[in-house]
Amino acid sequence: MRAAYRHHQNMPHLQQQQLLVVLLGSLLIWDFPGVLGSYRRTSSICTSIPRNMALCYDIGYTEMRLPNLLDHETMAEAIQQSTSWLPLLARECHPDARIFLCSLFAPICLERLIYPCRSLCEAIRSSCAPVMVCYGYPWPEILNCNKFPEDHELCISSIADRSTSGRRMPQASCRDCELEDPSSAKEILENLCTSDFAVKIRISRRNKTSTIADFDLDSRLEVLKHGPLLKTETHPKLQQWLNLDATCVHNIMKGTNTGVYVISGEVQNDKIVLVNRAYAWHKKNRNLQAAVRRWKHYKCRA
């Protein structure tokens, strides 16, 4: 879980506006009865969210309450505890994970405290807990979703559920998928031999303002090895991979908006594509170009 998290430190302006609409709109139903929504913490203070609180700095509001909703009484404690969650955000397990965590670590400074809705907690837990388990960390009891209010009460609900219009949420991967820099064409050829499939593709990022990953696969692709995939299945299965394996795609793209890559990997029994190797196609990568030229005539070792 040590993947880079630089792209999470600055939330796009659109996402900030959506968050503020949800939070400030809650004031319109202030008198709605609710156990947590009606709670007032008279001993708390408002303080600026410091720049070194990377989890929540620049999230769309500038002041937070201390103690926060996790009972951190000092800013130093809140910063220290929040930092441990940054690697999980880098896994992109759910688009609303940052909003959920910051509603607890850095609650917005309103007259009363507003908790995240139970459904928001459950959505984050469903997507992120499996990734935490991969690294030996269970979902903590302090984030027990039963502690949070039902959706009909005053609480912060999901933004992603409304903005994705029925799209399946991007799925985080437990695998670290990175661009490779092979030392020789033979190394690439041997990797292709051990893979179920290998394809040369162009990937483009469709939206540049949302935290929700959304990528397009060019309709023209060069199949080097189709393995168990039928010809008609290759493109839709790869597009499914783009939609679901957000961590892998982001690591391959490295912040660029478009690129050409040779990818290879496994095809599971249900024909779900898992990419485990990726190479950037460019003029300087002569080993890759040589391997692709030689592939048609290359004999894999038994």
Short mmCIF file of all heavy atoms in Angstrom, two decimals, residues 23 25-34 36-38 112-117 149-156:
data_model
loop_
_atom_site.label_atom_id
_atom_site.label_comp_id
_atom_site.label_asym_id
_atom_site.label_seq_id
_atom_site.Cartn_x
_atom_site.Cartn_y
_atom_site.Cartn_z
N LEU A 23 -22.87 19.28 2.16
CA LEU A 23 -22.72 19.70 3.54
C LEU A 23 -23.59 20.89 3.90
O LEU A 23 -24.33 20.87 4.89
CB LEU A 23 -21.26 20.05 3.81
CG LEU A 23 -20.26 18.89 3.74
CD1 LEU A 23 -18.85 19.41 3.89
CD2 LEU A 23 -20.55 17.86 4.81
N GLY A 25 -26.15 22.05 2.26
CA GLY A 25 -27.56 21.73 2.06
C GLY A 25 -28.16 21.06 3.27
O GLY A 25 -29.38 21.11 3.51
N SER A 26 -27.31 20.42 4.07
CA SER A 26 -27.79 19.76 5.28
C SER A 26 -28.40 20.75 6.26
O SER A 26 -29.26 20.41 7.06
CB SER A 26 -26.65 19.01 5.97
OG SER A 26 -26.11 18.03 5.13
N LEU A 27 -27.96 22.00 6.19
CA LEU A 27 -28.48 23.01 7.11
C LEU A 27 -29.96 23.26 6.90
O LEU A 27 -30.67 23.70 7.80
CB LEU A 27 -27.70 24.32 6.93
CG LEU A 27 -26.22 24.27 7.32
CD1 LEU A 27 -25.55 25.58 6.96
CD2 LEU A 27 -26.06 23.98 8.79
N LEU A 28 -30.43 22.98 5.69
CA LEU A 28 -31.84 23.24 5.38
C LEU A 28 -32.76 22.29 6.12
O LEU A 28 -33.95 22.56 6.27
CB LEU A 28 -32.06 23.12 3.87
CG LEU A 28 -31.26 24.12 3.01
CD1 LEU A 28 -31.51 23.85 1.54
CD2 LEU A 28 -31.64 25.55 3.36
N ILE A 29 -32.25 21.16 6.58
CA ILE A 29 -33.07 20.19 7.31
C ILE A 29 -32.53 20.04 8.73
O ILE A 29 -32.51 18.96 9.30
CB ILE A 29 -33.09 18.81 6.59
CG1 ILE A 29 -31.66 18.31 6.32
CG2 ILE A 29 -33.85 18.89 5.29
CD1 ILE A 29 -31.62 16.89 5.79
N TRP A 30 -32.08 21.17 9.28
CA TRP A 30 -31.38 21.14 10.57
C TRP A 30 -32.22 20.56 11.70
O TRP A 30 -31.70 19.92 12.60
CB TRP A 30 -30.96 22.57 10.91
CG TRP A 30 -30.00 22.61 12.05
CD1 TRP A 30 -30.14 23.26 13.22
CD2 TRP A 30 -28.74 21.95 12.13
NE1 TRP A 30 -29.06 23.06 14.02
CE2 TRP A 30 -28.17 22.26 13.38
CE3 TRP A 30 -28.03 21.14 11.25
CZ2 TRP A 30 -26.94 21.78 13.78
CZ3 TRP A 30 -26.80 20.66 11.65
CH2 TRP A 30 -26.28 20.99 12.90
N ASP A 31 -33.52 20.78 11.68
CA ASP A 31 -34.33 20.34 12.79
C ASP A 31 -34.82 18.90 12.66
O ASP A 31 -35.65 18.45 13.43
CB ASP A 31 -35.56 21.26 12.94
CG ASP A 31 -35.14 22.66 13.36
OD1 ASP A 31 -34.14 22.77 14.09
OD2 ASP A 31 -35.81 23.63 12.95
N PHE A 32 -34.31 18.21 11.65
CA PHE A 32 -34.73 16.81 11.48
C PHE A 32 -34.26 16.01 12.68
O PHE A 32 -33.11 16.07 13.06
CB PHE A 32 -34.12 16.23 10.20
CG PHE A 32 -34.81 14.98 9.74
CD1 PHE A 32 -35.80 15.03 8.77
CD2 PHE A 32 -34.47 13.76 10.29
CE1 PHE A 32 -36.43 13.87 8.37
CE2 PHE A 32 -35.10 12.60 9.88
CZ PHE A 32 -36.09 12.67 8.91
N PRO A 33 -35.13 15.20 13.29
CA PRO A 33 -34.74 14.45 14.48
C PRO A 33 -33.73 13.37 14.15
O PRO A 33 -33.87 12.65 13.18
CB PRO A 33 -36.06 13.84 14.96
CG PRO A 33 -36.90 13.75 13.74
CD PRO A 33 -36.55 14.97 12.92
N GLY A 34 -32.70 13.28 14.95
CA GLY A 34 -31.69 12.24 14.75
C GLY A 34 -30.77 12.23 15.94
O GLY A 34 -30.46 13.26 16.53
N LEU A 36 -27.43 11.39 16.29
CA LEU A 36 -26.13 12.03 16.12
C LEU A 36 -26.26 13.43 15.56
O LEU A 36 -25.49 14.32 15.90
CB LEU A 36 -25.26 11.17 15.18
CG LEU A 36 -24.92 9.78 15.73
CD1 LEU A 36 -24.18 8.98 14.67
CD2 LEU A 36 -24.09 9.87 16.98
N GLY A 37 -27.25 13.64 14.71
CA GLY A 37 -27.41 14.94 14.09
C GLY A 37 -27.77 16.01 15.09
O GLY A 37 -27.51 17.20 14.88
N SER A 38 -28.38 15.64 16.19
CA SER A 38 -28.81 16.64 17.17
C SER A 38 -27.76 16.89 18.25
O SER A 38 -27.95 17.71 19.13
CB SER A 38 -30.10 16.18 17.85
OG SER A 38 -29.87 14.98 18.57
N ARG A 112 -23.30 22.52 14.41
CA ARG A 112 -23.37 21.20 15.02
C ARG A 112 -22.58 20.20 14.18
O ARG A 112 -22.27 20.45 13.01
CB ARG A 112 -24.83 20.74 15.13
CG ARG A 112 -25.70 21.69 15.93
CD ARG A 112 -27.06 21.11 16.19
NE ARG A 112 -27.92 22.06 16.87
CZ ARG A 112 -29.11 21.75 17.39
NH1 ARG A 112 -29.58 20.53 17.29
NH2 ARG A 112 -29.84 22.67 17.98
N LEU A 113 -22.28 19.06 14.76
CA LEU A 113 -21.51 18.03 14.07
C LEU A 113 -22.40 17.24 13.13
O LEU A 113 -23.52 16.89 13.47
CB LEU A 113 -20.88 17.08 15.10
CG LEU A 113 -19.88 17.71 16.07
CD1 LEU A 113 -19.44 16.70 17.10
CD2 LEU A 113 -18.68 18.26 15.32
N ILE A 114 -21.87 16.95 11.96
CA ILE A 114 -22.59 16.14 10.98
C ILE A 114 -21.75 14.91 10.67
O ILE A 114 -20.61 15.03 10.23
CB ILE A 114 -22.87 16.92 9.69
CG1 ILE A 114 -23.65 18.20 10.00
CG2 ILE A 114 -23.65 16.06 8.71
CD1 ILE A 114 -23.93 19.06 8.79
N TYR A 115 -22.34 13.74 10.88
CA TYR A 115 -21.65 12.48 10.65
C TYR A 115 -21.88 11.98 9.22
O TYR A 115 -22.84 12.38 8.57
CB TYR A 115 -22.15 11.42 11.64
CG TYR A 115 -21.63 11.57 13.04
CD1 TYR A 115 -22.07 12.62 13.87
CD2 TYR A 115 -20.71 10.68 13.56
CE1 TYR A 115 -21.61 12.76 15.16
CE2 TYR A 115 -20.23 10.81 14.86
CZ TYR A 115 -20.68 11.85 15.65
OH TYR A 115 -20.22 11.99 16.93
N PRO A 116 -21.05 11.06 8.74
CA PRO A 116 -21.34 10.40 7.47
C PRO A 116 -22.52 9.45 7.64
O PRO A 116 -22.73 8.90 8.72
CB PRO A 116 -20.05 9.63 7.16
CG PRO A 116 -19.43 9.40 8.50
CD PRO A 116 -19.77 10.60 9.34
N CYS A 117 -23.30 9.28 6.59
CA CYS A 117 -24.42 8.35 6.64
C CYS A 117 -23.91 6.91 6.73
O CYS A 117 -22.82 6.59 6.26
CB CYS A 117 -25.30 8.48 5.40
SG CYS A 117 -26.11 10.08 5.22
N PRO A 149 -25.50 7.38 11.46
CA PRO A 149 -26.95 7.52 11.29
C PRO A 149 -27.46 6.95 9.97
O PRO A 149 -26.73 6.87 8.99
CB PRO A 149 -27.16 9.04 11.36
CG PRO A 149 -25.85 9.62 10.93
CD PRO A 149 -24.80 8.69 11.44
N GLU A 150 -28.73 6.58 9.97
CA GLU A 150 -29.40 6.12 8.75
C GLU A 150 -29.54 7.29 7.78
O GLU A 150 -29.46 8.46 8.15
CB GLU A 150 -30.78 5.56 9.09
CG GLU A 150 -30.76 4.35 10.01
CD GLU A 150 -30.45 3.06 9.27
OE1 GLU A 150 -30.15 3.13 8.05
OE2 GLU A 150 -30.50 2.00 9.88
N ASP A 151 -29.79 6.96 6.52
CA ASP A 151 -29.82 7.99 5.49
C ASP A 151 -30.94 9.01 5.69
O ASP A 151 -30.84 10.13 5.21
CB ASP A 151 -29.97 7.34 4.11
CG ASP A 151 -28.64 6.74 3.64
OD1 ASP A 151 -27.89 6.26 4.50
OD2 ASP A 151 -28.38 6.76 2.43
N HIS A 152 -32.03 8.63 6.37
CA HIS A 152 -33.12 9.57 6.54
C HIS A 152 -32.83 10.61 7.62
O HIS A 152 -33.60 11.54 7.81
CB HIS A 152 -34.42 8.82 6.88
CG HIS A 152 -34.38 8.07 8.18
ND1 HIS A 152 -34.00 6.75 8.24
CD2 HIS A 152 -34.63 8.45 9.46
CE1 HIS A 152 -34.05 6.34 9.50
NE2 HIS A 152 -34.43 7.37 10.26
N GLU A 153 -31.70 10.46 8.31
CA GLU A 153 -31.31 11.42 9.32
C GLU A 153 -30.33 12.43 8.71
O GLU A 153 -29.97 12.34 7.54
CB GLU A 153 -30.68 10.71 10.52
CG GLU A 153 -31.62 9.73 11.20
CD GLU A 153 -30.97 9.01 12.38
OE1 GLU A 153 -30.03 9.56 12.96
OE2 GLU A 153 -31.42 7.89 12.69
N LEU A 154 -29.90 13.39 9.51
CA LEU A 154 -28.96 14.40 9.06
C LEU A 154 -27.57 13.80 8.96
O LEU A 154 -26.96 13.47 9.98
CB LEU A 154 -28.96 15.57 10.05
CG LEU A 154 -27.95 16.70 9.79
CD1 LEU A 154 -28.25 17.37 8.47
CD2 LEU A 154 -28.00 17.70 10.93
N CYS A 155 -27.05 13.65 7.75
CA CYS A 155 -25.75 13.02 7.57
C CYS A 155 -25.24 13.28 6.17
O CYS A 155 -25.97 13.75 5.30
CB CYS A 155 -25.82 11.51 7.86
SG CYS A 155 -27.02 10.62 6.83
N ILE A 156 -23.97 12.94 5.94
CA ILE A 156 -23.33 13.14 4.64
C ILE A 156 -23.49 11.86 3.82
O ILE A 156 -23.05 10.79 4.22
CB ILE A 156 -21.83 13.46 4.81
CG1 ILE A 156 -21.67 14.74 5.63
CG2 ILE A 156 -21.15 13.62 3.46
CD1 ILE A 156 -20.24 15.03 6.03
#
